[in-house]
Amino acid sequence: ATPVSLTTGVGLGAQNGILIRSGDALQTASKLQTVVLDKTGTITKGKPELTNVVTENGFDEDEVLRLAAAIERNSEHPLAGAIVEGAGELDLPQVAGFSAIPGHGVEAGVEGRGVMLGNAKLMDDRGIALGRLEAEARRLADDGKTPMYVAIGGAAAGVIAVADTIKEDSVSAVAAFKRLGLEVAMITGDNQRTAEAIGRQVGIDRVLAEVLPQDKAHNVQKLQLEGKKVGMVGDGINDAPALAQADVGFAIGTGTDVAIEAADVTLISGSLRGVVTAVEISKSTMRNVR
Ligand code: ADP
Ligand code: MG
């Protein structure tokens, strides 16, 4: 039978908007040594907004944005929403043969030209020379923005950058994790420089970036193989396998159902403070059990 104080701990969690699935999860949360935080939607609000359009090879800003947005209308990625919204009143043409390359970008035919939009890896795979756009992208990433390259008809045409706001509580939550003696890491599919810039802003020094969606769980497992008890916090479909792999998975309640189903703990609010509170409740409960 579950000891009474474990039941009390689960109840205390519920009063604080923290739904703990089992006494086991509550117990394990007190032993966590590392907490891995998804970036987009977990540390940040997950609602990126268009910030910059830089062009090259004679293309103009509206043209690059119009073609990019025409393609992104077909994508459900948060980056896509930012670009479509950023295109505002521009008239978007129909596209043909849309395809998404997970973790890399999107492509389609637009007005008889092949158009692609995504990260450096995608451009590299397709043999697109980036020229001075590479330095532009680096500068944007160092500001914590996510740059995406656009190629039109086989030539580099521009860089579109979006920025996502850090949630109000993220900085204080990271500091609280550290005070509790936890190592804090960030995991993201976003590029290394962007991730490091966000990491600096919230006080995280261990950054796992450019991680493909299917590799997030594997990264959690690698930390476990270092002998650590690992907590994972995420909101997206991509995070579900990592949430299941972690010793304790925490889902942001405002995230996708798939993440919530895979997790041991659900935070009703979107704040990372909920994870801190969960660990605190767990530690005080375990003191009572002992
Ligand atoms: P995240 O963890 O940020 O959601 P993803 O694995 O979904 O990361 O994407 C990684 C990178 O691939 C993005 O930062 C972006 O550069 C590129 N990418 C993915 N999907 C798209 C898209 N729909 N449009 C443009 N770029 C994309
Ligand atoms: Mg996310």
Side-chain angles (χ1 to χ4, degrees):
T2 303
V4 170
S5 55
L6 276 186
T7 313
T8 309
V10 170
L12 201 55
Q15 284 167 30
N16 286 279
I18 300 157
L19 308 183
I20 303 165
R21 192 169 301 207
S22 66
D24 208 38
L26 178 61
Q27 254 169 307
T28 311
S30 70
K31 303 187 192 114
L32 295 177
Q33 291 158 300
T34 299
V35 58
V36 179
L37 310 176
D38 160 62
K39 178 174 77 67
T40 313
T42 299
I43 294 172
T44 68
K45 292 185 176 166
K47 303 236 182 309
E49 286 180 22
L50 181 78
T51 55
N52 308 72
V53 182
V54 181
T55 63
E56 176 71 330
N57 289 326
F59 287 96
D60 78 56
E61 288 177 17
D62 276 4
E63 178 69 350
V64 167
L65 190 53
R66 189 176 71 90
L67 297 183
I71 297 184
E72 293 286 24
R73 250 200 309 195
N74 299 276
S75 165
E76 275 157 27
H77 202 282
L79 293 171
I83 292 172
V84 173
E85 239 176 65
E89 305 288 280
L90 295 176
D91 208 7
L92 306 185
Q94 291 301 314
V95 308
F98 169 82
S99 74
I101 308 106
H104 294 89
V106 287
E107 59 188 338
V110 193
E111 297 173 343
R113 289 174 293 183
V115 179
M116 60 187 117
L117 171 65
N119 59 17
K121 177 73 169 51
L122 177 70
M123 297 297 145
D124 190 46
D125 289 347
R126 300 290 193 275
I128 307 290
L130 297 172
R132 88 176 171 97
L133 290 181
E134 224 164 346
E136 292 288 349
R138 212 178 300 134
R139 186 176 57 79
L140 292 161
D142 285 339
D143 265 358
K145 296 170 180 170
T146 299
M148 287 159 281
Y149 295 102
V150 183
I152 301 174
V159 170
I160 296 180
V162 306
D164 195 2
T165 314
I166 292 168
K167 293 179 190 174
E168 287 83 14
D169 289 346
S170 294
V171 174
S172 74
V174 169
F177 284 132
K178 289 179 173 173
R179 277 199 300 278
L180 286 168
L182 289 160
E183 176 194 31
V184 188
M186 173 197 297
I187 193 162
T188 181
D190 210 339
N191 83 78
Q192 189 74 37
R193 280 175 178 273
T194 306
E196 279 171 9
I198 302 286
R200 277 194 297 277
Q201 291 172 33
V202 293
I204 296 176
D205 21 57
R206 186 156 188 181
V207 170
L208 309 167
E210 298 175 32
V211 177
L212 292 175
Q214 65 271 24
D215 289 340
K216 279 191 173 179
H218 183 62
N219 274 269
V220 167
Q221 192 182 25
K222 274 202 293 201
L223 293 168
Q224 290 169 322
L225 291 172
E226 290 176 15
K228 289 178 179 140
K229 286 255 183 271
V230 180
M232 163 81 200
V233 193
D235 70 317
I237 297 173
N238 285 353
D239 299 319
L243 291 170
Q245 173 67 39
D247 294 285
V248 184
F250 299 85
I252 298 285
T254 51
T256 59
D257 292 346
V258 186
I260 291 169
E261 276 159 32
D264 305 291
V265 179
T266 300
L267 313 165
I268 302 288
S269 89
S271 168
L272 280 171
R273 296 290 319 188
V275 182
V276 176
T277 306
V279 171
E280 285 168 348
I281 289 173
S282 171
K283 283 185 188 286
S284 65
T285 303
M286 295 318 291
R287 273 194 294 273
N288 287 337
V289 170
R290 255 185 259 119

